[in-house]
Amino acid sequence: MQSSGLGNCINMFSLARTCRFPLLMIITMRGEWEEFNPWQVPMGSIVDPVLELCEAEVYRVRVPGEVAGAAERAVQHAFGDERIAAVILSQELIGKKVWTK
């Protein structure tokens, strides 16, 4: 999901946390490096703290070489420990979004 969609999931996190079922999220960031759309910045700036408040294990990836390791750790945390885990792919990693008309 995109980081802006995280705000729509907050209520569901309480269910995953209480029932201890695995939840693995792969989140592509908006509102960070080279963001052209100011509406993306507010949610983008609080993704990590929101996830941490929901007791999610957060794995932030900034360079391509870290993706596989972060994903493996997140899978183990989510499915091995039956918890919430999120791999966050930074906007620097996925590249600058180009607006075309």
Side-chain angles (χ1 to χ4, degrees):
M1 83 175 97
Q2 196 175 77
S3 57
S4 55
L6 179 69
N8 298 325
C9 299
I10 302 299
N11 285 334
M12 188 256 324
F13 294 150
S14 65
L15 181 62
R17 195 171 92 186
T18 302
C19 297
R20 290 190 58 114
F21 64 76
L23 175 58
L24 175 62
M25 294 172 280
I26 308 294
I27 300 171
T28 58
M29 286 302 297
R30 292 289 307 268
E32 295 183 324
W33 173 83
E34 296 288 336
E35 179 60 61
F36 71 90
N37 182 348
W39 296 104
Q40 296 288 345
V41 175
M43 188 64 216
S45 69
I46 62 169
V47 165
D48 292 56
V50 165
L51 288 167
E52 290 166 3
L53 283 170
C54 295
E55 297 180 4
E57 191 69 27
V58 177
Y59 302 90
R60 181 173 273 276
V61 180
R62 292 181 175 84
V63 295
E66 297 174 352
V67 174
E72 287 174 18
R73 288 189 301 278
V75 166
Q76 177 57 44
H77 187 81
F79 296 98
D81 300 335
E82 297 179 334
R83 306 299 294 191
I84 303 170
V87 177
I88 299 176
L89 304 177
S90 73
Q91 202 160 351
E92 284 179 285
L93 174 72
I94 59 177
K96 180 178 179 179
K97 185 169 178 77
V98 179
W99 181 261
T100 58
K101 295 180 184 183

